[in-house]
mmCIF file of all heavy atoms in Angstrom:
data_model
loop_
_atom_site.group_PDB
_atom_site.id
_atom_site.type_symbol
_atom_site.label_atom_id
_atom_site.label_comp_id
_atom_site.label_asym_id
_atom_site.label_seq_id
_atom_site.Cartn_x
_atom_site.Cartn_y
_atom_site.Cartn_z
ATOM 1 N N THR A 476 67.747 58.579 146.964
ATOM 2 C CA THR A 476 67.960 58.527 148.412
ATOM 3 C C THR A 476 68.353 57.126 148.862
ATOM 4 O O THR A 476 68.730 56.932 150.016
ATOM 5 C CB THR A 476 66.700 58.965 149.157
ATOM 6 O OG1 THR A 476 65.601 58.128 148.753
ATOM 7 C CG2 THR A 476 66.363 60.422 148.843
ATOM 8 N N GLU A 477 68.243 56.143 147.968
ATOM 9 C CA GLU A 477 68.639 54.774 148.261
ATOM 10 C C GLU A 477 69.109 54.106 146.971
ATOM 11 O O GLU A 477 68.850 54.593 145.873
ATOM 12 C CB GLU A 477 67.497 53.997 148.887
ATOM 13 C CG GLU A 477 66.268 53.890 148.011
ATOM 14 C CD GLU A 477 65.130 53.158 148.697
ATOM 15 O OE1 GLU A 477 65.164 53.022 149.934
ATOM 16 O OE2 GLU A 477 64.213 52.712 147.987
ATOM 17 N N PHE A 478 69.802 53.000 147.136
ATOM 18 C CA PHE A 478 70.349 52.301 145.977
ATOM 19 C C PHE A 478 69.246 51.529 145.247
ATOM 20 O O PHE A 478 68.522 50.738 145.862
ATOM 21 C CB PHE A 478 71.457 51.335 146.405
ATOM 22 C CG PHE A 478 72.758 52.004 146.691
ATOM 23 C CD1 PHE A 478 73.030 52.504 147.955
ATOM 24 C CD2 PHE A 478 73.716 52.158 145.696
ATOM 25 C CE1 PHE A 478 74.238 53.130 148.228
ATOM 26 C CE2 PHE A 478 74.915 52.785 145.952
ATOM 27 C CZ PHE A 478 75.181 53.276 147.220
ATOM 28 N N THR A 479 69.143 51.760 143.951
ATOM 29 C CA THR A 479 68.198 51.014 143.126
ATOM 30 C C THR A 479 68.884 49.767 142.571
ATOM 31 O O THR A 479 70.110 49.633 142.624
ATOM 32 C CB THR A 479 67.699 51.880 141.959
ATOM 33 O OG1 THR A 479 68.822 52.201 141.105
ATOM 34 C CG2 THR A 479 67.071 53.178 142.476
ATOM 35 N N ASP A 480 68.090 48.859 142.023
ATOM 36 C CA ASP A 480 68.645 47.660 141.404
ATOM 37 C C ASP A 480 69.585 48.027 140.255
ATOM 38 O O ASP A 480 70.638 47.397 140.070
ATOM 39 C CB ASP A 480 67.522 46.753 140.894
ATOM 40 C CG ASP A 480 66.719 46.136 142.031
ATOM 41 O OD1 ASP A 480 67.229 46.127 143.174
ATOM 42 O OD2 ASP A 480 65.591 45.669 141.777
ATOM 43 N N GLU A 481 69.210 49.045 139.501
ATOM 44 C CA GLU A 481 70.049 49.479 138.375
ATOM 45 C C GLU A 481 71.395 50.007 138.869
ATOM 46 O O GLU A 481 72.442 49.710 138.275
ATOM 47 C CB GLU A 481 69.320 50.559 137.575
ATOM 48 C CG GLU A 481 70.097 51.023 136.349
ATOM 49 C CD GLU A 481 69.376 52.117 135.584
ATOM 50 O OE1 GLU A 481 68.277 52.535 136.022
ATOM 51 O OE2 GLU A 481 69.920 52.574 134.556
ATOM 52 N N MET A 482 71.381 50.777 139.935
ATOM 53 C CA MET A 482 72.634 51.290 140.506
ATOM 54 C C MET A 482 73.528 50.147 140.980
ATOM 55 O O MET A 482 74.744 50.156 140.768
ATOM 56 C CB MET A 482 72.335 52.245 141.667
ATOM 57 C CG MET A 482 71.693 53.558 141.253
ATOM 58 S SD MET A 482 71.037 54.508 142.645
ATOM 59 C CE MET A 482 72.525 54.920 143.538
ATOM 60 N N MET A 483 72.939 49.142 141.599
ATOM 61 C CA MET A 483 73.717 48.013 142.089
ATOM 62 C C MET A 483 74.334 47.225 140.933
ATOM 63 O O MET A 483 75.482 46.776 141.020
ATOM 64 C CB MET A 483 72.826 47.111 142.940
ATOM 65 C CG MET A 483 72.365 47.740 144.235
ATOM 66 S SD MET A 483 73.726 48.088 145.383
ATOM 67 C CE MET A 483 74.158 46.429 145.883
ATOM 68 N N GLU A 484 73.588 47.064 139.860
ATOM 69 C CA GLU A 484 74.119 46.362 138.688
ATOM 70 C C GLU A 484 75.280 47.137 138.070
ATOM 71 O O GLU A 484 76.304 46.552 137.701
ATOM 72 C CB GLU A 484 73.005 46.160 137.660
ATOM 73 C CG GLU A 484 71.951 45.147 138.079
ATOM 74 C CD GLU A 484 70.802 45.065 137.092
ATOM 75 O OE1 GLU A 484 70.878 45.745 136.045
ATOM 76 O OE2 GLU A 484 69.821 44.331 137.368
ATOM 77 N N GLN A 485 75.123 48.443 137.961
ATOM 78 C CA GLN A 485 76.197 49.285 137.419
ATOM 79 C C GLN A 485 77.436 49.212 138.304
ATOM 80 O O GLN A 485 78.563 49.120 137.813
ATOM 81 C CB GLN A 485 75.714 50.735 137.291
ATOM 82 C CG GLN A 485 74.644 50.957 136.249
ATOM 83 C CD GLN A 485 74.098 52.379 136.276
ATOM 84 O OE1 GLN A 485 74.336 53.127 137.233
ATOM 85 N NE2 GLN A 485 73.348 52.756 135.255
ATOM 86 N N LEU A 486 77.221 49.250 139.599
ATOM 87 C CA LEU A 486 78.325 49.218 140.553
ATOM 88 C C LEU A 486 79.069 47.890 140.495
ATOM 89 O O LEU A 486 80.310 47.867 140.473
ATOM 90 C CB LEU A 486 77.779 49.470 141.963
ATOM 91 C CG LEU A 486 78.783 49.511 143.106
ATOM 92 C CD1 LEU A 486 79.808 50.606 142.886
ATOM 93 C CD2 LEU A 486 78.035 49.729 144.431
ATOM 94 N N GLU A 487 78.341 46.794 140.457
ATOM 95 C CA GLU A 487 78.974 45.474 140.412
ATOM 96 C C GLU A 487 79.756 45.282 139.115
ATOM 97 O O GLU A 487 80.872 44.740 139.127
ATOM 98 C CB GLU A 487 77.910 44.387 140.544
ATOM 99 C CG GLU A 487 78.477 42.987 140.648
ATOM 100 C CD GLU A 487 77.402 41.947 140.914
ATOM 101 O OE1 GLU A 487 76.824 41.425 139.935
ATOM 102 O OE2 GLU A 487 77.141 41.674 142.101
ATOM 103 N N LEU A 488 79.213 45.748 138.002
ATOM 104 C CA LEU A 488 79.916 45.639 136.723
ATOM 105 C C LEU A 488 81.181 46.481 136.727
ATOM 106 O O LEU A 488 82.243 46.029 136.271
ATOM 107 C CB LEU A 488 78.996 46.062 135.577
ATOM 108 C CG LEU A 488 79.610 46.031 134.176
ATOM 109 C CD1 LEU A 488 80.105 44.630 133.831
ATOM 110 C CD2 LEU A 488 78.604 46.523 133.140
ATOM 111 N N ALA A 489 81.106 47.713 137.254
ATOM 112 C CA ALA A 489 82.285 48.591 137.300
ATOM 113 C C ALA A 489 83.377 47.975 138.176
ATOM 114 O O ALA A 489 84.572 48.045 137.841
ATOM 115 C CB ALA A 489 81.889 49.967 137.828
ATOM 116 N N ALA A 490 82.989 47.375 139.293
ATOM 117 C CA ALA A 490 83.973 46.761 140.198
ATOM 118 C C ALA A 490 84.663 45.574 139.537
ATOM 119 O O ALA A 490 85.886 45.420 139.615
ATOM 120 C CB ALA A 490 83.292 46.332 141.496
ATOM 121 N N ASN A 491 83.892 44.717 138.875
ATOM 122 C CA ASN A 491 84.496 43.563 138.215
ATOM 123 C C ASN A 491 85.313 43.972 136.992
ATOM 124 O O ASN A 491 86.299 43.301 136.665
ATOM 125 C CB ASN A 491 83.406 42.565 137.828
ATOM 126 C CG ASN A 491 82.951 41.723 139.005
ATOM 127 O OD1 ASN A 491 83.670 40.848 139.478
ATOM 128 N ND2 ASN A 491 81.755 42.013 139.511
ATOM 129 N N SER A 492 84.951 45.066 136.354
ATOM 130 C CA SER A 492 85.775 45.583 135.258
ATOM 131 C C SER A 492 87.149 45.984 135.764
ATOM 132 O O SER A 492 88.166 45.763 135.102
ATOM 133 C CB SER A 492 85.084 46.786 134.595
ATOM 134 O OG SER A 492 83.861 46.400 133.993
ATOM 135 N N ALA A 493 87.198 46.571 136.959
ATOM 136 C CA ALA A 493 88.487 46.922 137.567
ATOM 137 C C ALA A 493 89.288 45.666 137.912
ATOM 138 O O ALA A 493 90.519 45.651 137.812
ATOM 139 C CB ALA A 493 88.252 47.756 138.833
ATOM 140 N N VAL A 494 88.596 44.598 138.297
ATOM 141 C CA VAL A 494 89.268 43.320 138.550
ATOM 142 C C VAL A 494 89.890 42.788 137.272
ATOM 143 O O VAL A 494 91.050 42.345 137.257
ATOM 144 C CB VAL A 494 88.275 42.290 139.137
ATOM 145 C CG1 VAL A 494 88.914 40.904 139.212
ATOM 146 C CG2 VAL A 494 87.804 42.724 140.513
ATOM 147 N N TRP A 495 89.147 42.829 136.166
ATOM 148 C CA TRP A 495 89.633 42.294 134.894
ATOM 149 C C TRP A 495 90.838 43.067 134.368
ATOM 150 O O TRP A 495 91.675 42.507 133.664
ATOM 151 C CB TRP A 495 88.511 42.313 133.861
ATOM 152 C CG TRP A 495 87.291 41.559 134.305
ATOM 153 C CD1 TRP A 495 87.262 40.492 135.160
ATOM 154 C CD2 TRP A 495 85.935 41.848 133.977
ATOM 155 N NE1 TRP A 495 85.971 40.082 135.374
ATOM 156 C CE2 TRP A 495 85.125 40.891 134.658
ATOM 157 C CE3 TRP A 495 85.306 42.795 133.165
ATOM 158 C CZ2 TRP A 495 83.734 40.875 134.547
ATOM 159 C CZ3 TRP A 495 83.930 42.773 133.060
ATOM 160 C CH2 TRP A 495 83.154 41.825 133.737
ATOM 161 N N LYS A 496 90.941 44.353 134.728
ATOM 162 C CA LYS A 496 92.091 45.148 134.283
ATOM 163 C C LYS A 496 93.375 44.784 135.020
ATOM 164 O O LYS A 496 94.470 45.175 134.601
ATOM 165 C CB LYS A 496 91.794 46.638 134.460
ATOM 166 C CG LYS A 496 90.745 47.160 133.487
ATOM 167 C CD LYS A 496 90.492 48.652 133.690
ATOM 168 C CE LYS A 496 89.426 49.162 132.712
ATOM 169 N NZ LYS A 496 89.148 50.613 132.904
ATOM 170 N N ASN A 497 93.229 44.071 136.140
ATOM 171 C CA ASN A 497 94.392 43.587 136.897
ATOM 172 C C ASN A 497 95.355 44.722 137.245
ATOM 173 O O ASN A 497 96.576 44.601 137.122
ATOM 174 C CB ASN A 497 95.130 42.490 136.115
ATOM 175 C CG ASN A 497 96.077 41.693 136.999
ATOM 176 O OD1 ASN A 497 95.827 41.517 138.192
ATOM 177 N ND2 ASN A 497 97.166 41.218 136.420
ATOM 178 N N THR A 498 94.792 45.827 137.701
ATOM 179 C CA THR A 498 95.611 46.988 138.038
ATOM 180 C C THR A 498 96.335 46.777 139.359
ATOM 181 O O THR A 498 95.926 45.961 140.190
ATOM 182 C CB THR A 498 94.741 48.256 138.101
ATOM 183 O OG1 THR A 498 95.571 49.406 138.213
ATOM 184 C CG2 THR A 498 93.808 48.216 139.305
ATOM 185 N N GLN A 499 97.404 47.519 139.582
ATOM 186 C CA GLN A 499 98.247 47.328 140.754
ATOM 187 C C GLN A 499 97.616 47.923 142.010
ATOM 188 O O GLN A 499 96.964 48.963 141.971
ATOM 189 C CB GLN A 499 99.618 47.964 140.518
ATOM 190 C CG GLN A 499 100.660 47.598 141.559
ATOM 191 C CD GLN A 499 102.039 48.126 141.197
ATOM 192 O OE1 GLN A 499 102.181 48.928 140.288
ATOM 193 N NE2 GLN A 499 103.046 47.676 141.912
ATOM 194 N N VAL A 500 97.819 47.239 143.125
ATOM 195 C CA VAL A 500 97.422 47.749 144.442
ATOM 196 C C VAL A 500 98.709 48.146 145.165
ATOM 197 O O VAL A 500 99.538 47.302 145.495
ATOM 198 C CB VAL A 500 96.656 46.688 145.248
ATOM 199 C CG1 VAL A 500 96.256 47.245 146.616
ATOM 200 C CG2 VAL A 500 95.430 46.213 144.480
ATOM 201 N N VAL A 501 98.879 49.440 145.393
ATOM 202 C CA VAL A 501 100.131 49.987 145.925
ATOM 203 C C VAL A 501 99.951 50.391 147.382
ATOM 204 O O VAL A 501 98.950 51.022 147.740
ATOM 205 C CB VAL A 501 100.599 51.203 145.104
ATOM 206 C CG1 VAL A 501 101.944 51.713 145.618
ATOM 207 C CG2 VAL A 501 100.703 50.847 143.627
ATOM 208 N N THR A 502 100.914 50.030 148.214
ATOM 209 C CA THR A 502 100.892 50.403 149.624
ATOM 210 C C THR A 502 102.021 51.382 149.916
ATOM 211 O O THR A 502 103.178 51.118 149.582
ATOM 212 C CB THR A 502 101.043 49.155 150.521
ATOM 213 O OG1 THR A 502 99.970 48.255 150.253
ATOM 214 C CG2 THR A 502 101.011 49.547 151.987
ATOM 215 N N HIS A 503 101.691 52.517 150.513
ATOM 216 C CA HIS A 503 102.671 53.528 150.898
ATOM 217 C C HIS A 503 102.718 53.604 152.428
ATOM 218 O O HIS A 503 101.679 53.717 153.080
ATOM 219 C CB HIS A 503 102.302 54.907 150.340
ATOM 220 C CG HIS A 503 102.203 54.960 148.848
ATOM 221 N ND1 HIS A 503 103.291 55.149 148.025
ATOM 222 C CD2 HIS A 503 101.139 54.813 148.023
ATOM 223 C CE1 HIS A 503 102.905 55.144 146.774
ATOM 224 N NE2 HIS A 503 101.601 54.944 146.742
ATOM 225 N N PHE A 504 103.923 53.564 152.984
ATOM 226 C CA PHE A 504 104.101 53.695 154.436
ATOM 227 C C PHE A 504 104.586 55.113 154.723
ATOM 228 O O PHE A 504 105.698 55.484 154.358
ATOM 229 C CB PHE A 504 105.091 52.653 154.950
ATOM 230 C CG PHE A 504 104.644 51.241 154.685
ATOM 231 C CD1 PHE A 504 105.116 50.537 153.602
ATOM 232 C CD2 PHE A 504 103.727 50.634 155.516
ATOM 233 C CE1 PHE A 504 104.705 49.249 153.346
ATOM 234 C CE2 PHE A 504 103.309 49.343 155.277
ATOM 235 C CZ PHE A 504 103.794 48.643 154.184
ATOM 236 N N CYS A 505 103.737 55.898 155.368
ATOM 237 C CA CYS A 505 104.007 57.320 155.590
ATOM 238 C C CYS A 505 104.283 57.577 157.075
ATOM 239 O O CYS A 505 103.551 57.100 157.943
ATOM 240 C CB CYS A 505 102.821 58.158 155.138
ATOM 241 S SG CYS A 505 102.308 57.844 153.421
ATOM 242 N N THR A 506 105.331 58.358 157.334
ATOM 243 C CA THR A 506 105.691 58.648 158.723
ATOM 244 C C THR A 506 104.891 59.807 159.302
ATOM 245 O O THR A 506 104.694 59.884 160.512
ATOM 246 C CB THR A 506 107.187 58.983 158.826
ATOM 247 O OG1 THR A 506 107.493 60.027 157.904
ATOM 248 C CG2 THR A 506 108.033 57.764 158.502
ATOM 249 N N THR A 507 104.430 60.733 158.447
ATOM 250 C CA THR A 507 103.738 61.927 158.949
ATOM 251 C C THR A 507 102.375 62.075 158.274
ATOM 252 O O THR A 507 102.106 61.501 157.213
ATOM 253 C CB THR A 507 104.560 63.187 158.683
ATOM 254 O OG1 THR A 507 104.658 63.397 157.263
ATOM 255 C CG2 THR A 507 105.959 63.066 159.282
ATOM 256 N N ARG A 508 101.541 62.889 158.897
ATOM 257 C CA ARG A 508 100.217 63.180 158.347
ATOM 258 C C ARG A 508 100.323 63.905 157.015
ATOM 259 O O ARG A 508 99.565 63.632 156.078
ATOM 260 C CB ARG A 508 99.434 64.024 159.356
ATOM 261 C CG ARG A 508 97.983 64.261 158.989
ATOM 262 C CD ARG A 508 97.324 65.202 159.984
ATOM 263 N NE ARG A 508 95.899 65.338 159.724
ATOM 264 C CZ ARG A 508 94.970 64.579 160.276
ATOM 265 N NH1 ARG A 508 95.319 63.636 161.126
ATOM 266 N NH2 ARG A 508 93.689 64.768 159.997
ATOM 267 N N ASP A 509 101.276 64.852 156.927
ATOM 268 C CA ASP A 509 101.446 65.608 155.680
ATOM 269 C C ASP A 509 101.863 64.702 154.529
ATOM 270 O O ASP A 509 101.396 64.874 153.388
ATOM 271 C CB ASP A 509 102.496 66.709 155.879
ATOM 272 C CG ASP A 509 101.996 67.825 156.791
ATOM 273 O OD1 ASP A 509 100.759 67.927 156.970
ATOM 274 O OD2 ASP A 509 102.823 68.578 157.325
ATOM 275 N N GLU A 510 102.720 63.738 154.813
ATOM 276 C CA GLU A 510 103.165 62.813 153.771
ATOM 277 C C GLU A 510 101.981 61.979 153.272
ATOM 278 O O GLU A 510 101.827 61.755 152.064
ATOM 279 C CB GLU A 510 104.257 61.896 154.321
ATOM 280 C CG GLU A 510 104.877 60.977 153.272
ATOM 281 C CD GLU A 510 105.936 60.067 153.863
ATOM 282 O OE1 GLU A 510 106.310 60.252 155.050
ATOM 283 O OE2 GLU A 510 106.388 59.160 153.151
ATOM 284 N N ALA A 511 101.127 61.540 154.178
ATOM 285 C CA ALA A 511 99.957 60.753 153.788
ATOM 286 C C ALA A 511 98.935 61.610 153.051
ATOM 287 O O ALA A 511 98.316 61.167 152.076
ATOM 288 C CB ALA A 511 99.323 60.120 155.023
ATOM 289 N N ALA A 512 98.774 62.865 153.507
ATOM 290 C CA ALA A 512 97.786 63.765 152.903
ATOM 291 C C ALA A 512 98.155 64.158 151.478
ATOM 292 O O ALA A 512 97.296 64.659 150.735
ATOM 293 C CB ALA A 512 97.624 65.013 153.767
ATOM 294 N N ALA A 513 99.392 63.925 151.080
ATOM 295 C CA ALA A 513 99.806 64.235 149.708
ATOM 296 C C ALA A 513 99.184 63.287 148.698
ATOM 297 O O ALA A 513 99.189 63.570 147.496
ATOM 298 C CB ALA A 513 101.328 64.180 149.604
ATOM 299 N N HIS A 514 98.647 62.170 149.167
ATOM 300 C CA HIS A 514 97.984 61.207 148.285
ATOM 301 C C HIS A 514 96.523 61.609 148.079
ATOM 302 O O HIS A 514 95.934 62.296 148.919
ATOM 303 C CB HIS A 514 98.061 59.803 148.889
ATOM 304 C CG HIS A 514 99.464 59.279 149.019
ATOM 305 N ND1 HIS A 514 100.162 58.720 147.974
ATOM 306 C CD2 HIS A 514 100.302 59.245 150.085
ATOM 307 C CE1 HIS A 514 101.352 58.344 148.383
ATOM 308 N NE2 HIS A 514 101.477 58.656 149.660
ATOM 309 N N PRO A 515 95.914 61.191 146.958
ATOM 310 C CA PRO A 515 94.507 61.560 146.674
ATOM 311 C C PRO A 515 93.529 60.748 147.522
ATOM 312 O O PRO A 515 92.823 59.862 147.037
ATOM 313 C CB PRO A 515 94.371 61.233 145.180
ATOM 314 C CG PRO A 515 95.350 60.129 144.935
ATOM 315 C CD PRO A 515 96.517 60.416 145.845
ATOM 316 N N LEU A 516 93.462 61.047 148.810
ATOM 317 C CA LEU A 516 92.685 60.256 149.763
ATOM 318 C C LEU A 516 91.182 60.452 149.573
ATOM 319 O O LEU A 516 90.718 61.559 149.311
ATOM 320 C CB LEU A 516 93.073 60.634 151.190
ATOM 321 C CG LEU A 516 94.548 60.406 151.575
ATOM 322 C CD1 LEU A 516 94.812 60.963 152.960
ATOM 323 C CD2 LEU A 516 94.891 58.919 151.519
ATOM 324 N N ARG A 517 90.453 59.349 149.762
ATOM 325 C CA ARG A 517 88.988 59.383 149.656
ATOM 326 C C ARG A 517 88.344 59.987 150.890
ATOM 327 O O ARG A 517 87.271 60.601 150.817
ATOM 328 C CB ARG A 517 88.468 57.965 149.400
ATOM 329 C CG ARG A 517 86.972 57.786 149.557
ATOM 330 C CD ARG A 517 86.476 56.466 149.018
ATOM 331 N NE ARG A 517 87.227 55.337 149.501
ATOM 332 C CZ ARG A 517 86.972 54.667 150.614
ATOM 333 N NH1 ARG A 517 85.997 55.062 151.412
ATOM 334 N NH2 ARG A 517 87.694 53.616 150.960
ATOM 335 N N LYS A 518 88.943 59.797 152.065
ATOM 336 C CA LYS A 518 88.342 60.311 153.293
ATOM 337 C C LYS A 518 89.423 60.866 154.204
ATOM 338 O O LYS A 518 90.604 60.528 154.067
ATOM 339 C CB LYS A 518 87.554 59.217 154.002
ATOM 340 C CG LYS A 518 88.328 57.967 154.346
ATOM 341 C CD LYS A 518 87.408 56.922 154.955
ATOM 342 C CE LYS A 518 88.166 55.665 155.356
ATOM 343 N NZ LYS A 518 87.265 54.656 155.946
ATOM 344 N N PRO A 519 89.048 61.736 155.163
ATOM 345 C CA PRO A 519 90.038 62.390 156.036
ATOM 346 C C PRO A 519 90.811 61.371 156.876
ATOM 347 O O PRO A 519 90.334 60.266 157.154
ATOM 348 C CB PRO A 519 89.181 63.301 156.928
ATOM 349 C CG PRO A 519 87.905 63.480 156.187
ATOM 350 C CD PRO A 519 87.681 62.218 155.424
#
Side-chain angles (χ1 to χ4, degrees):
T476 57
E477 61 182 17
F478 282 87
T479 64
D480 291 342
E481 183 181 1
M482 291 168 66
M483 293 295 289
E484 290 175 4
Q485 292 174 346
L486 181 60
E487 186 174 88
L488 179 59
N491 281 288
S492 296
V494 172
W495 303 331
K496 290 181 180 179
N497 196 31
T498 189
Q499 191 174 11
V500 180
V501 183
T502 300
H503 301 276
F504 300 98
C505 306
T506 53
T507 65
R508 187 185 186 91
D509 290 341
E510 185 181 352
H514 296 279
L516 299 174
R517 168 168 50 88
K518 57 184 182 180

